[in-house]
Every structure is written in structure tokens, then in C-alpha cells.
Amino acid sequence: MEAPLYPDFPLDPSTPGGGQPAFWVGPRHLAGDDRCLYDGVADTLAGLGWMSLTIVRGRHEPDEEPENRQVLRSTVLHISPDTLRWAQWGLPDEPFHLGDLPIAWQISARADTSSPLASWSSYFTTDVPGEAVADFLVALDARDQPAVPLADPELVLDAVAAHGWLRDIDQPQAAATDPTFTSHISLGEVPPLIQDADPRALTTEVDEAGPSGWQAWAEPALGAPCLWAASFGSSVPHDLVAAFAASLSSTAPVLRRVLPEATRDRLLRAPAG
């Protein structure tokens, strides 16, 4: 079992003395997003040279003060220099949900600039560790052809197995879990409404299985609400999913000030600085 290294250190958000203390914590897959999932990922994208656009849709009356404007929807769109890949932060909107959690980032890519449609999309809810989303984007940015499949599903399972995750006994070629059986990654039927260029996603009947894609999630306790969830369309290249999986399962500690209530007692932590 995992336990706090320093259980006497306060973790109350109202901690006095200049704000909340920072901790190095692990495991990463239970550490949450530190309530800065946008900032961390956006900084990575800025470093990669992606441009950002803020899209605001609302109602503005003549002579109305800016602070009184009614904003109906607002998203931030980050676009790669070659315009073949983009990441959309949509949490301020009325968000879509995955595993009953609001989707924060939607990341997509297309094969060429002749089509405005994405070849594939991936989705990340709140509390997905920002480091894993950032590493997924770094791998995507490094790809010459973001929509061309490379490698095979085994690469994803190898990535988590290298960090001590266990392959599923019943599906050793398609699923794995962390040693505490809290976080999971699985290749299976893609949830409804996940966008993908695979035509089977549009023609699947109600009573038949659709195309397979990778899904990942953390369930702090059996039957409890998920802490986070991530979904990858069936056309997302396996090597990109492997980059996410390797980062998610990494044993390297991450810096946090805000710990998820559902997993804080299961985290190893040491004061930073």
C-alpha cells in the first residue's frame, strides 16, 4: 500500500504562510492535475511554437460594458505551425463528458491540409496528469505524418509494463493495470461520439462492436467515481498512445500543491524545497 511519507504536513487548501505548500508526489497516475491542467499543457504548446486562438461566442448589446457581456461559449484552440494538429481546451464551455467527468482537452490531427476534418481525436478529462498530456503532445509534434499509423498495440502495453504495471490475466494483449488495481489502460470498443475517420465508427449497428481504441482511467475504489479518464479514437497511432502511457505510469515524482481528495491518502509525498 502507498502511504504519505510526511503525514503530518498540512494539505489543507487554507494553509497559512504564503499559500499551499508544494510536494513531490507519486504515483503520477493518482496525483491529479494540480488544478492547472490548462497552464501546464499550454506552456508546452507555446514552447513547441503552436499558436493559440481564443474563440468566444456570446451576446453583446450596444453600449454594454465589457464586464456585463454574456459569454455563452469560450474555448482556446492551439494549432501547430503546419496546421495538421490542434488541441482544444473546452472546459469553460458546456463540456462533453467521459466517464461522467468533463472533457478538458480534445487533441486532433489530420493527414493533410486539403481536408478540414480530423483523422483522429483524443480526449482527456480533468485530473488527467498534465505531464502525460504534455508528453503525448510532444510526441505528436515530433511526428512528420500525424495521421499515419505506426507500431502495434504491444508498444502501449510494453510502455506501462516497463514501469511495473501488470497485464490483465484475461486480456494480456489488450489491457493492463497498475499494481494497486486503481488505474487501467485497455484496448477495446470506443465510447459513443468519439470522433474518428475510421468509417466503421459511422456504420456500426447498435448490437455490434465498433472499432477498437485505447481507453485509460483511474477508479480510486471499486464502484467509486473515476478520478480521470482518457479516450483515444481507433485511428490514433499506437506510438502516440504509448507516449501517454509511458508518462502516465512513470515512477518519477511530480510537483503538486493540490492533491485529489479521492487519492491523497494513497500518495507518497515529500516537501519540495
Side-chain angles (χ1 to χ4, degrees):
M1 290 292 293
E2 292 153 346
L5 286 177
Y6 295 87
D8 296 330
F9 273 78
L11 286 173
D12 192 317
S14 61
T15 298
Q20 297 164 252
F23 290 85
W24 289 107
V25 305
R28 181 179 299 189
H29 59 90
L30 298 180
D33 62 12
D34 206 30
R35 297 183 187 170
C36 58
L37 185 55
Y38 175 77
D39 292 336
V41 173
D43 286 347
T44 296
L45 293 172
L48 295 172
W50 291 34
M51 63 178 177
S52 63
L53 303 169
T54 300
I55 304 169
V56 177
R57 292 176 290 277
R59 186 176 297 111
H60 185 64
E61 300 295 336
D63 301 323
E64 184 180 29
E65 296 297 327
E67 60 269 19
N68 295 328
R69 180 179 180 183
Q70 184 180 2
V71 176
L72 301 181
R73 296 181 67 83
S74 175
T75 62
V76 183
L77 183 65
H78 298 258
I79 307 172
S80 66
D82 63 6
T83 71
L84 293 180
R85 49 212 109 192
W86 58 94
Q88 179 173 312
W89 172 261
L91 197 58
D93 285 340
E94 298 176 3
F96 296 104
H97 286 73
L98 181 65
D100 292 327
L101 296 170
I103 292 171
W105 282 104
Q106 177 181 339
I107 300 170
S108 307
R110 56 181 175 171
D112 55 66
T113 57
S114 63
S115 172
L117 301 178
S119 297
W120 56 259
S121 292
S122 54
Y123 304 81
F124 306 89
T125 72
T126 52
D127 271 325
V128 172
E131 296 84 358
V133 181
D135 287 341
F136 177 83
L137 283 161
V138 169
L140 172 61
D141 183 79
R143 250 176 164 263
D144 290 333
Q145 297 176 300
V148 176
L150 294 175
D152 57 44
E154 194 71 14
L155 191 64
V156 177
L157 299 175
D158 286 345
V160 295
H163 294 148
W165 286 36
L166 310 172
R167 289 176 183 257
D168 187 271
I169 295 177
D170 297 322
Q171 304 177 77
Q173 306 304 316
T177 184
D178 81 286
T180 67
F181 300 97
T182 303
S183 297
H184 311 265
I185 190 162
S186 176
L187 181 63
E189 186 175 356
V190 176
L193 303 181
I194 297 301
Q195 297 179 18
D196 196 88
D198 189 330
R200 293 177 297 165
L202 302 176
T203 60
T204 303
E205 298 295 335
V206 175
D207 58 348
E208 65 180 357
S212 294
W214 287 100
Q215 317 301 316
W217 68 96
E219 186 179 19
L222 187 63
C226 288
L227 172 64
W228 56 262
S231 184
F232 302 86
S234 59
S235 297
V236 177
H238 297 298
D239 59 299
L240 297 182
V241 182
F244 169 83
S247 182
L248 177 73
S249 61
S250 173
T251 57
V254 290
L255 195 63
R256 293 290 186 270
R257 285 181 170 82
V258 182
L259 302 182
E261 186 68 33
T263 58
R264 64 195 301 175
D265 293 334
R266 306 183 69 170
L267 293 166
L268 295 164
R269 58 184 182 263

